[in-house]
């Protein structure tokens, strides 16, 4: 009997060796192994499940949780991410030499990951219509206007880009 590789919910390719997804479960671990991830940016306010933490440790993946510590859980679920979390995430994404292959994750791979990817697309000079279309494709019926507003008003001048380590796709 052959092996099956099942991607996590809302899995997608953002750029070469840069992925996005929702919280994986045990069925998704063989798929994630094939990606040979070096780092996961976990953007959920909740701690990842113990089974996922064990998987990450066993694989030698650097798991970095952003946006959860110190946030009020209820407000974290309904408000856009802080600018600081987005900037920290983008700095990690732009460091392709140290962090790739990299995956952005949140509980379902919709809103928090969508904000970071939307701000990355803005940094790549995508037009807003295309940015929002991608955000809505992953958010489905759970689109949040505040998230779209955050992306629209995000100031890309706050992002520091090292010219010597500039990704090819930027």
């Amino acid at each position: 009997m052959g092996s099956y590789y099942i991607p996590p919910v809302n899995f997608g390719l953002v750029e070469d060796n840069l992925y996005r997804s929702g919280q994986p479960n045990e069925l998704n671990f063989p798929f994630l192994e094939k990606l040979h991830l070096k780092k996961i940016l976990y953007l959920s306010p909740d701690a990842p499940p113990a089974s996922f933490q064990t998987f990450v440790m066993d694989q030698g993946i650097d798991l970095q949780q952003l946006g959860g510590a110190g946030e009020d859980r209820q407000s974290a679920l309904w408000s856009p991410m802080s600018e600081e979390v987005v900037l920290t995430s983008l700095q990690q994404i732009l460091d392709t030499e140290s962090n790739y292959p990299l995956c952005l994750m949140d509980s379902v791979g919709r809103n928090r990951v969508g904000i970071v990817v939307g701000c990355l697309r803005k940094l790549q000079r995508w037009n807003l219509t295309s940015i929002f279309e991608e955000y809505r494709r992953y958010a489905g019926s759970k689109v949040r206007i505040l998230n779209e507003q955050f992306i629209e008003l995000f100031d890309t001048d706050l992002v520091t880009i090292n010219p010597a380590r500039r990704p090819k796709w930027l």
Side-chain angles (χ1 to χ4, degrees):
M1 184 173 184
S3 297
Y4 293 99
Y5 298 105
I6 304 165
V9 64
N10 273 332
F11 178 82
L13 178 68
V14 179
E15 290 295 340
D16 284 344
N17 288 314
L18 175 60
Y19 308 97
R20 63 178 291 159
S21 80
Q23 170 63 54
N25 60 44
E26 288 83 0
L27 293 173
N28 309 130
F29 293 169
F31 177 86
L32 292 176
E33 279 182 56
K34 294 289 184 188
L35 299 178
H36 303 289
L37 295 173
K38 193 180 239 182
K39 181 174 257 187
I40 293 172
L41 296 182
Y42 194 76
L43 305 171
S44 178
D46 298 321
S51 62
F52 179 61
Q53 291 182 40
T54 301
F55 166 77
V56 167
M57 276 191 351
D58 291 346
Q59 296 298 310
I61 300 169
D62 180 13
L63 177 64
Q64 184 176 359
Q65 185 169 7
L66 298 173
E71 279 190 63
D72 171 41
R73 188 182 187 294
Q74 200 58 24
S75 68
L77 291 173
W78 294 105
S79 63
M81 298 169 68
S82 73
E83 191 171 66
E84 179 184 342
V85 169
V86 173
L87 289 170
T88 301
S89 299
L90 289 174
Q91 290 306 136
Q92 297 288 325
I93 291 167
L94 293 175
D95 187 359
T96 58
E97 290 180 31
S98 301
N99 297 323
Y100 278 48
L102 181 139
C103 188
L104 304 170
M105 290 183 183
D106 68 21
S107 57
V108 188
R110 287 184 192 142
N111 292 297
R112 289 173 166 261
V113 168
I115 289 171
V116 172
V117 171
C119 292
L120 174 65
R121 298 305 191 198
K122 194 167 177 184
L123 198 60
Q124 292 176 296
R125 302 194 190 291
W126 281 29
N127 67 54
L128 279 176
T129 302
S130 298
I131 294 170
F132 292 155
E133 191 281 325
E134 182 181 41
Y135 169 76
R136 291 173 184 159
R137 187 174 342 123
Y138 284 95
S141 64
K142 304 292 185 181
V143 169
R144 296 183 183 158
I145 301 301
L146 284 176
N147 291 349
E148 291 182 341
Q149 185 179 43
F150 183 98
I151 294 167
E152 182 177 1
L153 299 175
F154 179 72
D155 183 4
T156 57
D157 290 337
L158 297 174
V159 180
T160 305
I161 301 170
N162 180 346
R165 298 181 88 175
R166 183 183 186 99
K168 295 174 191 169
W169 41 260
L170 190 60

